[in-house]
């Protein structure tokens, strides 16, 4: 399916949409995707309550929150949500401090850091819930003259990014690419030189899917020990595009926009191309660590998944909300906004570089949203 670029989204994204500025990423809209199965388009929404909701946090979801806010204003005339992309840490801090109605974070509340207890205190003694509402795929993008199709396993990706494999015609790469002539060319690794949520998720993926090979751990700083660092997603994408033999990890849209080739990942059930459909398939049966309506995901299980036709390398961003404890006007508006975000707004996520939630997961989200009091 060809996705048409909308001018409104382009201007948003050019200004930093889907940028993990606190996490060090930025984003543009993808050009060409496979079509994901669309979730239910709408649901009953009880508009009203607080007219101007306030939210803050992860820059990764800025573009999606713009989409959500527009759909909310259209569905509930006169009601708005203002979102400040100040980074996940600030989103959690401002939510705990009662300064915002919704916190945005690319990590759930941490019990070890005391965030779970502090958030419950803010919510008048009620638990806060982590609701994953925004998902975006990460591409293993490369530029290799004469090689437009390439298969990599998680182990091979790990070895490339930790220096275990340094040449494109390495026998291990050739073994999973029969019939492909690989050049005798040095692999040039580019990584995010700034702190990046994309780096964190990429390294978590390698730890989960290729833990025997990737022992460097995770975090927002790249630990592979090889390659050249570049600032932001545009930096690594531009660098790969200018070097024959280059490779990086980058948000899907940047690989599309720069005309980079994207490796198919074989996690054990055959090579999987990155499309909206295969990324959405990874979310159909998520493992949830949280209890009840706290939908905290087990990303290790997602990243280590070997499901066929499923692309597991995704970013997930949470909306942090009170399960109860809002004043009635705020609770009503929060529920209306989240319901619209999970339904009406889903149709406009793909042009902005995100993956609509599949029906199966949407049902879980709507159940949790309805339970907010």
């Amino acid at each position: 399916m060809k996705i048409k670029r909308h001018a409104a989204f382009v201007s948003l994204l050019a200004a930093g949409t889907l940028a993990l500025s606190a996490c060090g990423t930025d984003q543009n809209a993808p050009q060409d995707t496979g079509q994901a199965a669309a979730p239910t388009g709408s649901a009953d929404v009880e508009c009203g309550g607080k007219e101007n909701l306030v939210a803050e946090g992860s820059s990764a979801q800025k573009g999606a929150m713009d989409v959500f806010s527009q759909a909310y204003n259209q569905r509930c005339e006169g009601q708005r949500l203002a979102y400040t992309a100040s980074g996940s840490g600030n989103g959690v801090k401002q939510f705990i401090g009662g300064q915002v109605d919704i916190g945005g974070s690319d990590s759930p509340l941490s019990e070890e850091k005391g965030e779970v207890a502090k958030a419950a205190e803010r919510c008048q003694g009620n638990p806060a819930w982590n609701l994953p509402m925004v998902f975006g795929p990460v591409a293993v993008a490369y530029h290799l003259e004469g090689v437009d199709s390439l298969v990599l396993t998680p182990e091979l990706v790990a070895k490339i990014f930790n220096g275990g494999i340094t040449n494109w015609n390495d026998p291990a790469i050739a073994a999973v690419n029969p019939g492909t002539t690989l050049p005798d060319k040095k692999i040039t690794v580019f990584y995010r030189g700034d702190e990046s949520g994309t780096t964190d998720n990429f390294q978590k993926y390698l730890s989960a899917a290729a833990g025997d090979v990737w022992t460097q751990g995770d975090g927002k700083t790249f630990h592979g020990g090889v390659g050249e660092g570049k600032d932001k997603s545009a930096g690594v994408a531009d660098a790969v595009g200018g070097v024959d033999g280059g490779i990086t990890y980058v948000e899907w849209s940047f690989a599309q926009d720069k005309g980079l080739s994207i490796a198919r990942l074989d996690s054990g059930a055959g090579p999987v191309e990155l499309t909206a459909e295969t990324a959405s398939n990874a979310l159909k049966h998520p493992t949830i660590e949280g209890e009840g309506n706290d939908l905290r995901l087990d990303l290790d299980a997602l990243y280590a998944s070997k499901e066929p036709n499923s692309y597991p390398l995704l970013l997930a961003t949470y909306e942090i909300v009170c399960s109860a404890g809002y004043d009635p006007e705020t609770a009503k508006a929060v529920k209306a906004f989240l319901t619209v975000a999970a339904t009406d707004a889903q149709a406009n996520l793909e042009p902005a570089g995100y993956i609509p939630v599949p029906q199966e997961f949407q049902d879980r989200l709507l159940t949790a949203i309805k339970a907010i009091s």
Side-chain angles (χ1 to χ4, degrees), residues 39-285:
T40 300
S42 62
D44 291 335
V45 178
E46 186 178 353
C47 297
K50 185 176 181 179
E51 288 187 358
N52 296 297
L53 289 173
V54 181
E56 183 170 345
S58 170
S59 298
Q61 66 171 5
K62 176 61 167 63
M65 292 298 280
D66 289 336
V67 172
F68 295 165
S69 297
Q70 183 180 28
Y72 176 52
N73 181 243
Q74 290 174 347
R75 186 71 181 270
C76 297
E77 186 176 355
Q79 291 186 257
R80 292 175 172 79
L81 177 135
Y83 185 77
T84 300
S86 62
S88 296
N90 281 329
V92 171
K93 180 180 179 180
Q94 297 296 335
F95 176 79
I96 288 174
Q99 301 302 305
V100 298
D101 304 308
I102 299 172
S105 177
D106 50 12
S107 300
L109 292 170
S110 169
E111 189 166 2
E112 291 182 0
K113 295 179 180 178
E115 294 170 350
V116 172
K118 291 177 182 177
E121 184 178 347
R122 175 261 159 95
C123 296
Q124 309 298 317
N126 302 288
W129 288 341
N130 302 279
L131 304 182
M133 299 280 291
V134 180
F135 299 90
V138 177
V140 179
Y142 69 96
H143 173 202
L144 190 59
E145 293 295 334
V147 180
D148 297 325
S149 177
L150 180 73
V151 176
L152 294 174
T153 65
E155 292 77 13
L156 288 174
V157 176
K159 288 180 179 179
I160 288 171
F161 281 89
N162 69 10
I165 292 177
T166 60
N167 217 60
W168 280 109
N169 68 348
D170 188 283
I173 300 178
V176 297
N177 290 276
T180 298
T181 301
L182 297 168
D184 182 9
K185 187 178 296 292
K186 176 186 175 182
I187 297 174
T188 303
V189 171
F190 293 99
Y191 61 87
R192 289 290 296 276
D194 52 331
E195 288 198 348
S196 162
T198 307
T199 296
D200 189 21
N201 281 268
F202 178 67
Q203 294 184 131
K204 285 177 178 176
Y205 163 75
L206 294 179
S207 295
D212 291 341
V213 177
W214 186 264
T215 59
Q216 285 79 5
D218 52 37
K220 294 178 181 179
T221 299
F222 181 69
H223 299 306
V226 297
E228 182 178 350
K230 297 291 183 181
D231 282 348
K232 301 191 179 298
S233 300
V236 293
D238 284 339
V240 170
V243 175
D244 184 15
I247 190 170
T248 193
Y249 54 92
V250 69
E251 292 92 335
W252 183 25
S253 63
F254 274 89
Q256 294 276 355
D257 283 351
K258 302 300 180 181
L260 304 178
S261 298
I262 298 174
R264 290 177 290 155
L265 297 181
D266 188 345
S267 300
V272 178
E273 181 182 359
L274 171 52
T275 67
E277 180 182 9
T278 60
S280 182
N281 285 344
L283 300 175
K284 286 186 175 180
H285 305 288

Side-chain angles (χ1 to χ4, degrees), residues 305-348:
S305 171
K306 300 182 185 300
E307 290 291 325
N309 200 36
S310 174
Y311 188 91
L313 182 46
L314 304 173
L315 290 167
T317 301
Y318 296 87
E319 311 313 323
I320 300 172
V321 299
C322 290
S323 61
Y326 290 119
D327 65 79
E329 293 292 290
T330 300
K332 186 174 185 179
V334 166
K335 293 175 71 171
F337 170 77
L338 293 175
T339 300
V340 171
T343 55
D344 296 42
Q346 292 295 307
N348 290 325

